[in-house]
Amino acid sequence: MISKQDVSAVILAAGKGKRMKSSLPKVLHKVMGKESLAWVIELAEKITGQQIVVVGHQREMVTTSLSNWGCEVDVVVQDVLDGTGGAVKRALRRIKGDWVLILCGDMPLISARSVRRLFRASISGRPSMLVAETEERGSYGRVWVDEDGLAKRIVEKSDLSGSEDSSLINTGVYFVPKQLLREGLKRIVPNNAQGELYLTDLVQYAYQKKMGFKVVLVDPQECIGINSRKDLALAEEILRRRIINSHLERGVTIHMPETVWIEDGVKIGRDTEIFPFTVIRSRVKIGSYCQIGPFAHIRSGTRIGNNCIVGNFVEVNRSLLSDKVYAKHLTYLGDTVVGEASNIGAGTITANYDGHSKNKTEIGRNAFIGSGAILIAPVKVGNKAIVGAGAVVPKRHNVADGKVVVGVPAKEIRNG
Ligand code: UD1
Ligand code: MG
């Protein structure tokens, strides 16, 4: 058995990504709330002992992101973008394991399960690679396989001659003994339409040396490489479905799931219901027995307790809603903490941004905010306090526990 520590991942992320037509490096485009490269690194961390990322085009931006994510990867620079073969060559000296898993930073849908199947296929010491059978071959490399399931050669779309074609496409995921990789890369020459060093030429080299790559078939849906905006849209649709299904399996009800957008890393408790056209951004946490939506927007940094209702046209951003909070209609809560069982009336706005900085609003327990109230942050509304309909509470004019304020600007009155 090949252990995790024996395997080093080399993740290719140096390419130009011309087809994206973007000023952002292609591997930093987000797929359901998480960058394509971050998805690939997360996969590699699960199954390999070392992760090496090859950067090149716009490398400052990519390395800054790597450090922002706090991942412990080795970074290798590909100074001249001479192809996927050139990229792996640059990483050779840094590889610690005896086995190398090669992944592309633009392929966020590859699953750990599929890569583990590669590991098993290589138990005999042979290299292996993931391929998919599909009619939608696009610009992927075409793979030819012999009767024993060994890859004979890969031809890039732009290098196909005449009517030759194959229904097997190259996913760009390979599992190779380091020794073979080192020898093979020495032999590769830029003999193709793009004048690049193709990593794919390694396959033919290995076959001739009687060390042919064992081919492992995967679902074509896993193999989408994000080369264009169209690919990105397709990848998001597949991932969106995967995420929705994982919540359904955990006991969350999602009505009309085809209209609901839930990004990566969201936690939702059992028996919570999500109504149509709701958007939940990455890393949000929602408790049990809540009702969210229709048309709600729950943004990153938000935590919602149990038994809450966040209804139509309510946006909640970087806020904490304790248990039993109701915000049922037309509200914006930003940088706000709301205590247990408080009611946020229709049309309430927390004015959290003063043009320079974001400020906090604190609402206590069992408070009642009337319809159309504006709370200008920083401001606090105490436990059991009442803010009348249409009131504007100026900043720092905190409302004490149990008090009632009304009007513009809001003033305290004795009886509500
Ligand atoms: C590559 C494969 C193709 C396969 C496809 C799967 C080659 C020659 N072709 O094509 O067979 O079907 O992936 O998605 O390998 N990169 C570098 N340095 C470079 C060039 C590319 O690091 O000099 C990186 C890119 O950032 C990307 C990956 O390598 O993450 C693949 O490069 P890309 O240009 O997307 O190759 P494809 O045309 O997709
Ligand atoms: Mg690609």
Side-chain angles (χ1 to χ4, degrees), residues 19 26 104 106-107 140 225-227:
R19 289 165 280 178
K26 110 168 143 173
C104 293
D106 66 349
M107 301 199 54
Y140 296 101
I226 305 211
N227 298 305

